[in-house]
Amino acid sequence: MSEPPIQEEDTQSGKPVNAPVGEENKIEQEVFGAQVAPAAQQPYYSYPGRVQPPQKRGGGAGCWLVGLITLMLVIGLVVVGLFLPPFNLGERILGSDFAMLDATNNATQTDDTTLKVIVSPDDAGSEFGVSLDSVDLNAFIANSATTDVVWTAQAGAAVPPYLAVQSNVYGIETTGTTPALTTLDVALPASASPDVLDMYGWYTDAGEWRFIPSQLNAAGSFTARVSDLPDGVALFQASPLDPIVMTTLTFGYSMNTEAQTIVSIVSPTGMQPSLPNTPQRTLVGNPAPGFDISAGYQVMPVIRNFADSRATDPDTVLGIIRNRELRTEHAGQLAAFASAGGYAGVVIDYRDLPPDARDNFSAFIRELGNAMHAGGLRLSVIVPPAQNVDGRWDTGAYNWRAIGQSADYVQIDFGLDPTAFAPGEDRLVEAMLRWAVGEVSRYKLVANLSALSARQVGNEFTPIGYDDALSAIGNVQIDVQESDAGTVEQGSELRISLDGFDAIPGVDTSVQSPFIEYLNESGTTASRMWLTTGESLRFRLDRLSPFGIAGVGFADLLDEGVADGVEESILAYKIQAPGQPMQTELQLNWRIEGANGLITEFTTDFTDELVVTLNAPDGNYAVNVEVVGGEASSSRGGAAVALFAPTATSTPIPTPTPTATPTATPTLEPIVPTIAATAGNPVPPVNSGPVVAPGSGSIVGGFEYGGHVTSAGSARAATAMRSAGMTWMKVQLPYRLGNGTGGAAQAINDARSQGFRILLGIVGSPSELAAGGGDYIRQYANFVGQVAALGPDAIEVWNEPNIDREWPTGQITGANYTALLRESYNAIKSSNGSVIVISAALAPTGAEAAFPGRVVNDDNFLRQMVDAGALSFMDCVGLHYNEGTVPPTQSSGDFRDNFYSRYLPSMLSVYNGITGSQRPICITELGYLSPEGYPALSPNWSWGQNTSVSEQAAWLAGAAAYASQQGVRLMIVWNVDFQNYNDNDPMAGFAIIRPDGSCPACNAMAGAR
């Protein structure tokens, strides 16, 4: 599309003014129907002199002397007054060069017509005259003393070093009463580039040049409407300054070493506006921790009217800004908060305000700016992108000009669509920036981008981590004929593939952004993942550079899921280092590894069929794959093969198809599984031997783990958990109608007092839900909202709703549960946006056919949830895994069957496949049942009979390591200290504190850190 013609916006009213079209010796009729009054020829005096008749005053003869003195003073004042505006007799007598403007003759201009001053016929002021002077560009630069404008020497010395004058410098003198608004029209110099030109006004009293909002019109001149006429005006070329980098800091993250080298301003979240119905009055919350007030970056907490951007609260903001007293109080409280905390200032992010709040919001920002600046503090305001409607940029409730006059930074949210950054005057980002630098000083403008990738479904975009965006391609699977012992003979043909969605990679070269399209079974596009890499982000950053704006901001730079190379790209932009190379299309990089390291490595396209004949010594081999593109890479889950040959071959050379490049030849030494080179792609053991827990450093990343306890106040449990390196406690609370929040408050306080974060699993009553329906859902949601206000770290909404033990028989569907989840999520986030909301972990089961109406298989239930929109109402997908009989990295070998819920890798793969990895997984129960030290298990639990305590310990440590390598957000061990052990539920058999008081799993898990 072509860019519509742009109309400027009134600085005060925000109403459009038609851009002039231009005609020599005339100001265009579209402006105000103006007629020119030549400044230096014949001034248009449109008014006669007026003399007010003297008024008769009373008094006796004794007052004659006083009267005479009074008369002389009056005459003297009148004479002086005749030489003052609006009626200046000296100008009349001596021949002034003021052009008097009125409704008929409402414009004047310099001799060379490069500056025009225009007033509205509806408001031409009173006895308003204008005298214009023009100082030659070169004379001004040379600071010539021969100019007729007395202030040029002072003004020349006051030009900031980042501005270079490009036009003549014009002096403006006035007489009479100035109109409310006056239009200035300055011609574009022939050799100047308009994108880097700004209009500045000189104000003698202040001794400074000030930015004047202006827009380039169709006639090739800059037009501005001002309420405060400057003493002079000129066009300057703006030179870029070193850009700043801003980022928000949310709960659970902190400023890492890499971020500290990049970020100029960090904005911790956690503060919200509030109507004065709390002791905190109009400001509540606490800033997220993880920053250092004395570090090399500035701290400006962000105040938001939301905890989750999908559930904003405009009503609270409106209640404040529409009340003058509350507005003033809120501004004062914000300034006091920033000052008391030692912060550099605050960021305001008040979203979704209606257009009719425009004036009130501008007034609030003006008051807040004054309050902040009085204390030496800064103010930044986040605004949504402008919308071009019928050729005019519309900013709704957010008057950019007014905000820019009061704020130090104006942050524009540019959204997640990478195609908006395509170059071209008619493309969104470029067109909006070209307009924006005329509304707000470019040295105040900050472009808010995302450091994460984006998932596109239709026209909707949502942020997603880089690895998560690629997870739907699945993991490695090997199709090969195995022996009864699970081994493969040498020379067997291995067909290697990925088990996820069909995927088509590509690169949109117009924006240098790689993407991957996932296809439905019908071959149509299910979703497109736009991958934010260092190269693609630098392309977007470079689109900002021609406009020389203040810098860039990110809401998610510190989040998990930022791709390799992104931080380096931002740093290069900040120091203005050269850009990165062109983005390349995604490919698959395969590695076949043995105990002694890499066997061979090669690259294929996504559509290549991979067939490998592996001739190598006996042993275990791993097939691992990474998705690579540019500097970024993403590891997928690998697969293993156990190779066996009656006789060893003398020259073991792998021969994959496409052609491989061998890089090593394995020896005949014994081979054991290894995953050292590709963390996260484990090789399941095939030979029996001692159980060994993962070594130090196996648990990676920002992964956190904890345990399910009988009581958060248990010192016995806390001691064991600390020794295991756990940082989370889970407590499950029942909810029944009429319950209070005392139990939740006690659990939160107990956990915090022992130094743990706390997850509350809140489980309702199936019978009360069946009887109450929607009304019960509302009451349950209200309860969890009240609990959220107490400050837990996470809430799991219900428990295993796919079985009739936890949900009403006949009503077990993912859609029904989503209805409860939606209400609960909104209630929790409205009360406390920092609480992590975890969907109810499902009971892993395949018994749906055997128990219709009473059981729904967990994979089917989860699909129903996704179809009902549940992903919009959770921060994390809950998962239970507590029936394992093999090590956590194995995907086969369970004596019962190969149903996916028997194995942790397949559980994670199935869940990520269903959700498209749009949300991380939180394992809220993970345990291994061992009857060691207790009586034999009952038949229903006999599958765990042969699991030893040493296996339990090693497997729990291995599960933590594997989960951390697969991007799991949180893992809760089931359980820590339960002591119930009976035929119906042998809870104590899962406990890591064993009957003798020891905790082998604690040592194993601590050793894996």
Side-chain angles (χ1 to χ4, degrees):
M1 67 178 183
S2 61
E3 183 181 3
I6 304 303
Q7 291 179 317
E8 65 167 337
E9 190 179 43
D10 187 323
T11 305
Q12 294 184 341
S13 69
K15 297 178 180 178
V17 179
N18 289 327
V21 180
E23 184 178 335
E24 189 174 5
N25 296 325
K26 271 190 181 179
I27 302 301
E28 299 69 41
Q29 301 300 315
E30 289 83 358
V31 179
F32 294 126
Q35 297 296 320
V36 177
Q41 297 178 11
Q42 297 177 347
Y44 281 54
Y45 295 124
S46 59
Y47 57 92
R50 292 195 296 266
V51 179
Q52 296 293 333
Q55 295 186 7
K56 198 170 184 178
R57 305 180 65 88
C63 297
W64 178 85
L65 181 58
V66 175
L68 177 61
I69 294 173
T70 302
L71 178 60
M72 293 177 66
L73 289 174
V74 170
I75 292 172
L77 291 173
V78 169
V79 171
V80 172
L82 291 175
F83 287 87
L84 297 175
F87 179 82
N88 192 323
L89 183 60
E91 294 166 2
R92 301 292 181 87
I93 297 173
L94 299 176
S96 166
D97 61 356
F98 282 97
M100 307 308 298
L101 305 183
D102 55 28
T104 303
N105 301 298
N106 66 316
T108 185
Q109 60 193 9
T110 55
D111 289 343
D112 59 4
T113 71
T114 53
L115 169 65
K116 301 168 186 176
V117 178
I118 312 161
V119 297
S120 168
D122 296 331
D123 178 16
S126 175
E127 311 294 357
F128 179 57
V130 178
S131 175
L132 302 178
D133 285 295
S134 180
V135 179
D136 179 74
L137 164 66
N138 294 322
F140 179 79
I141 293 174
N143 198 14
S144 172
T146 61
T147 65
D148 295 330
V149 183
V150 296
W151 46 258
T152 53
Q154 181 189 8
V159 174
Y162 48 84
L163 296 179
V165 64
Q166 297 294 303
S167 69
N168 290 343
V169 178
Y170 305 99
I172 304 173
E173 291 186 73
T174 63
T175 185
T177 302
T178 306
L181 289 173
T182 306
T183 297
L184 302 177
D185 191 275
V186 183
L188 174 69
S191 60
S193 171
D195 283 350
V196 293
L197 284 190
D198 291 327
M199 185 185 295
Y200 277 79
W202 170 253
Y203 293 85
T204 303
D205 289 345
E208 64 182 10
W209 290 93
R210 296 176 187 165
F211 173 79
I212 296 179
S214 63
Q215 292 292 340
L216 184 68
N217 59 44
S221 60
F222 282 86
T223 300
R225 299 191 73 191
V226 296
S227 57
D228 182 13
L229 267 174
D231 298 302
V233 67
L235 298 180
F236 289 84
Q237 178 177 304
S239 299
L241 304 179
D242 292 339
I244 64 170
V245 176
M246 305 177 71
T247 186
T248 55
L249 170 65
T250 56
F251 286 88
Y253 299 99
S254 61
M255 289 291 292
N256 53 49
T257 304
E258 293 78 9
Q260 291 188 33
T261 64
I262 300 172
V263 173
S264 312
I265 299 173
V266 61
S267 298
T269 63
M271 304 297 295
Q272 292 183 256
S274 172
L275 291 172
N277 50 13
T278 67
Q280 295 82 10
R281 298 292 293 174
T282 66
L283 186 63
V284 297
N286 292 290
F291 60 87
D292 183 355
I293 201 74
S294 61
Y297 48 81
Q298 293 183 332
V299 180
M300 295 176 63
V302 58
I303 321 299
R304 292 170 158 178
N305 65 331
F306 59 91
D308 187 298
S309 59
R310 294 166 294 187
T312 60
D313 178 19
D315 291 339
T316 293
V317 176
L318 294 174
I320 293 173
I321 66 175
R322 286 174 174 170
N323 182 304
R324 180 170 297 182
E325 291 183 0
L326 285 182
R327 190 169 69 204
T328 300
E329 178 183 345
H330 191 47
Q333 195 169 357
L334 286 165
F337 158 74
S339 179
Y343 304 123
V346 298
V347 178
I348 296 297
D349 189 5
Y350 291 170
R351 300 191 185 180
D352 296 335
L353 302 183
D356 63 7
R358 183 183 181 92
D359 291 340
N360 285 324
F361 187 70
S362 297
F364 163 66
I365 294 300
R366 182 170 59 251
E367 286 191 49
L368 178 57
N370 291 337
M372 299 297 290
H373 297 151
L377 303 170
R378 292 185 176 185
L379 171 63
S380 184
V381 181
I382 297 176
V383 298
Q387 303 296 318
N388 198 292
V389 180
D390 297 329
R392 177 177 177 266
W393 290 102
D394 182 8
T395 58
Y398 308 89
N399 185 334
W400 287 17
R401 285 194 179 185
I403 293 170
Q405 290 171 352
S406 301
D408 298 283
Y409 298 111
V410 179
Q411 299 177 234
I412 307 171
D413 274 333
F414 276 112
L416 298 172
D417 183 359
T419 64
F421 288 84
E425 293 185 359
D426 61 339
R427 306 308 293 267
L428 179 62
V429 170
E430 183 173 327
M432 192 189 307
L433 276 177
R434 183 168 288 110
W435 174 78
V437 295
E439 298 297 296
V440 180
S441 169
R442 66 186 71 229
Y443 299 114
K444 293 185 175 184
L445 287 174
V446 175
N448 278 4
L449 311 181
S450 174
L452 295 177
S453 299
R455 180 178 188 268
Q456 180 184 4
V457 178
N459 293 322
E460 297 294 324
F461 293 82
T462 53
I464 187 171
Y466 187 84
D467 288 337
D468 290 340
L470 294 170
S471 64
I473 67 173
N475 299 314
V476 177
Q477 65 177 9
I478 299 175
D479 183 12
V480 64
Q481 183 66 44
E482 293 183 345
S483 68
D484 293 340
T487 60
V488 175
E489 292 188 3
Q490 292 189 16
S492 298
E493 211 174 56
L494 279 66
R495 294 186 176 274
I496 304 172
S497 60
L498 294 168
D499 61 3
F501 283 81
D502 288 339
I504 301 176
V507 174
D508 187 329
T509 56
S510 69
V511 288
Q512 284 302 301
S513 288
F515 62 83
I516 186 166
E517 286 192 348
Y518 293 120
L519 306 180
N520 295 311
E521 293 181 359
S522 62
T524 58
T525 299
S527 63
R528 172 176 283 199
M529 302 292 179
W530 292 97
L531 303 174
T532 296
T533 62
E535 297 92 338
S536 63
L537 181 60
R538 182 58 191 266
F539 180 89
R540 295 167 210 168
L541 295 172
D542 286 345
R543 304 286 71 73
L544 312 176
S545 296
F547 298 96
I549 64 174
V552 63
F554 296 94
D556 46 28
L557 180 59
L558 303 176
D559 289 9
E560 295 176 358
V562 175
D564 298 335
V566 164
E567 290 179 333
E568 292 82 356
S569 180
I570 298 171
L571 178 60
Y573 160 78
K574 182 178 180 180
I575 64 176
Q576 296 297 284
Q580 299 191 4
M582 299 284 281
Q583 179 68 54
T584 57
E585 191 169 293
L586 299 177
Q587 291 185 303
L588 299 175
N589 186 63
W590 300 88
R591 294 167 63 91
I592 299 180
E593 299 173 75
N596 294 325
L598 184 68
I599 305 300
T600 187
E601 181 177 15
F602 49 92
T603 300
T604 70
D605 293 331
F606 274 58
T607 55
D608 288 340
E609 181 180 5
L610 185 58
V611 180
V612 175
T613 302
L614 186 61
N615 294 310
D618 291 358
N620 299 317
Y621 294 89
V623 179
N624 298 308
V625 67
E626 286 184 322
V627 182
V628 294
E631 295 186 354
S633 63
S634 176
S635 297
R636 309 308 314 140
V641 59
L643 192 66
F644 172 80
T647 59
T649 58
S650 57
T651 55
I653 301 176
T655 56
T657 303
T659 304
T661 305
T663 58
T665 301
T667 67
L668 298 180
E669 298 174 3
I671 295 177
V672 295
T674 176
I675 59 172
T678 54
N681 298 321
V683 182
V686 294
N687 299 316
S688 61
V691 179
V692 180
S696 176
S698 298
I699 297 176
V700 301
F703 171 78
E704 296 177 276
Y705 62 99
H708 195 142
V709 296
T710 55
S711 168
S714 170
R716 176 171 177 260
T719 300
M721 294 168 69
R722 278 192 286 269
S723 70
M726 295 180 178
T727 57
W728 281 75
M729 281 184 170
K730 177 183 176 181
V731 173
Q732 196 168 84
L733 298 175
Y735 167 69
R736 300 296 181 265
L737 291 175
N739 278 11
T741 58
Q746 185 66 51
I748 294 168
N749 293 335
D750 287 344
R752 293 277 166 72
S753 68
Q754 301 200 79
F756 290 90
R757 303 182 75 184
I758 185 163
L759 161 63
L760 295 177
I762 301 180
V763 187
S765 163
S767 60
E768 290 182 348
L769 172 60
D775 184 61
Y776 178 85
I777 287 176
R778 285 186 289 274
Q779 293 185 67
Y780 174 89
N782 182 62
F783 177 79
V784 294
Q786 293 174 8
V787 171
L790 300 174
D793 296 284
I795 293 176
E796 184 177 6
V797 179
W798 215 272
N799 179 68
E800 298 187 347
N802 61 317
I803 56 176
D804 63 353
R805 185 178 63 208
E806 303 286 1
W807 198 268
T809 302
Q811 300 180 29
I812 303 173
T813 70
N816 285 343
Y817 170 71
T818 298
L820 178 138
L821 178 63
R822 179 177 59 249
E823 294 291 326
S824 302
Y825 178 91
N826 290 333
I828 291 169
K829 293 297 186 180
S830 295
S831 295
N832 187 342
S834 65
V835 175
I836 299 170
V837 178
I838 305 174
S839 65
L842 308 176
T845 179
E848 179 177 328
F851 302 96
R854 298 179 56 194
V855 173
V856 173
N857 292 352
D858 56 310
D859 57 343
N860 291 341
F861 194 93
L862 184 58
R863 287 190 188 94
Q864 294 170 5
M865 288 172 57
V866 172
D867 291 343
L871 294 178
S872 297
F873 306 105
M874 66 175 77
D875 298 315
C876 207
V877 180
L879 181 148
H880 282 175
Y881 176 75
N882 45 27
E883 58 175 289
T885 63
V886 295
T889 56
Q890 282 191 214
S891 296
S892 61
D894 191 290
F895 69 91
R896 293 165 292 182
D897 52 49
N898 279 327
F899 192 69
Y900 70 87
S901 67
R902 309 298 193 202
Y903 311 102
L904 182 58
S906 54
M907 278 288 286
L908 294 175
S909 177
V910 168
Y911 276 49
N912 279 324
I914 293 171
T915 65
S917 297
Q918 295 178 65
R919 293 290 182 273
I921 287 176
C922 289
I923 305 176
T924 59
E925 282 185 17
L926 187 146
Y928 293 92
L929 174 60
S930 173
E932 189 173 331
Y934 293 101
L937 293 165
S938 66
N940 287 339
W941 300 90
S942 61
W943 49 265
Q945 186 63 45
N946 296 324
T947 300
S948 67
V949 169
S950 61
E951 286 176 320
Q952 181 197 58
W955 293 354
L956 283 172
Y962 180 76
S964 74
Q965 295 158 10
Q966 298 302 311
V968 171
R969 171 70 177 84
L970 174 67
M971 186 188 93
I972 299 295
V973 171
W974 169 254
N975 61 75
V976 176
D977 62 339
F978 282 65
Q979 298 182 38
N980 298 8
Y981 189 91
N982 54 55
D983 289 349
N984 293 326
D985 199 350
M987 295 182 183
F990 286 93
I992 58 175
I993 298 178
R994 302 308 299 180
D996 62 358
S998 67
C999 184
C1002 294
N1003 297 330
M1005 297 184 79
R1009 288 176 62 85

